[in-house]
Amino acid sequence: MKLRFLGKNSNVGDCPTLYATDRDTYLVQGWKVFANDLLMQLDVPEGQSVVEVPTELFEHLAEDGLPAGEFRRLEDPLMILTPTGTYVVQGAEVADPEALGQMEIPDYETVVEVPKAAITALLEEPRGTDHRRRAQPAH
């Protein structure tokens, strides 16, 4: 798998990063989700994982010719917006040694692969009612 760097959220250290691939997908490198209250709200199948990233990470979609802006809708299984204003992204956990060799991934981060079509759909205006899904704060 060949990667093209689109952007990251900080110039300091390793942090959430967005890549385009030669497979019409995006790789989203982000913080591993350990919060049980958040994980209980998700249905994460075998072979998939979730990462948490700042919403600003997706401004780098402009580097791939997509409109840089807010997602207009949040849909399963890709995203939820947390109470702290970050996105949780679900996708296939990346295990490709060639791809992983092109990235620097600290222990507290992991990488998921998400279809480009799924990301572009989130940029479109929702039809009918807005089904924005937000994580519920822990009680």
Side-chain angles (χ1 to χ4, degrees):
M1 174 186 330
K2 295 196 186 325
L3 305 184
R4 187 165 48 86
F5 174 80
L6 297 179
K8 63 173 30 188
N9 261 64
S10 161
N11 295 326
V12 181
D14 300 309
C15 52
T17 308
L18 185 64
Y19 300 90
T21 74
D22 60 348
R23 303 183 341 173
D24 254 359
T25 60
Y26 290 111
L27 298 189
V28 182
Q29 177 180 337
W31 305 298
K32 293 178 183 177
V33 175
F34 295 109
N36 283 336
D37 57 322
L38 186 55
L39 288 173
M40 288 189 316
Q41 296 177 51
L42 304 171
D43 179 24
V44 183
E46 183 79 24
Q48 294 212 348
S49 190
V50 292
V51 295
E52 186 174 357
V53 296
T55 55
E56 299 83 16
L57 181 65
F58 292 98
E59 292 173 2
H60 300 295
L61 290 172
E63 298 297 320
D64 199 40
L66 293 177
E70 276 190 48
F71 287 116
R72 306 244 185 243
R73 57 183 169 182
L74 304 174
E75 295 182 346
D76 286 341
L78 296 176
M79 307 252 181
I80 61 173
L81 182 62
T82 69
T84 57
T86 58
Y87 286 131
V88 173
V89 182
Q90 180 175 321
E93 190 162 355
V94 176
D96 181 298
E98 180 187 357
L100 294 172
Q102 298 174 61
M103 299 180 251
E104 291 183 35
I105 307 167
D107 290 344
Y108 54 87
E109 290 186 353
T110 194
V111 183
V112 297
E113 184 174 17
V114 182
K116 184 175 182 175
I119 295 291
T120 56
L122 298 175
L123 295 165
E124 298 169 359
E125 285 289 343
R127 292 174 189 84
T129 58
D130 186 357
H131 296 286
R132 294 181 78 111
R133 181 169 176 223
R134 294 180 182 268
Q136 301 302 312
H139 296 289

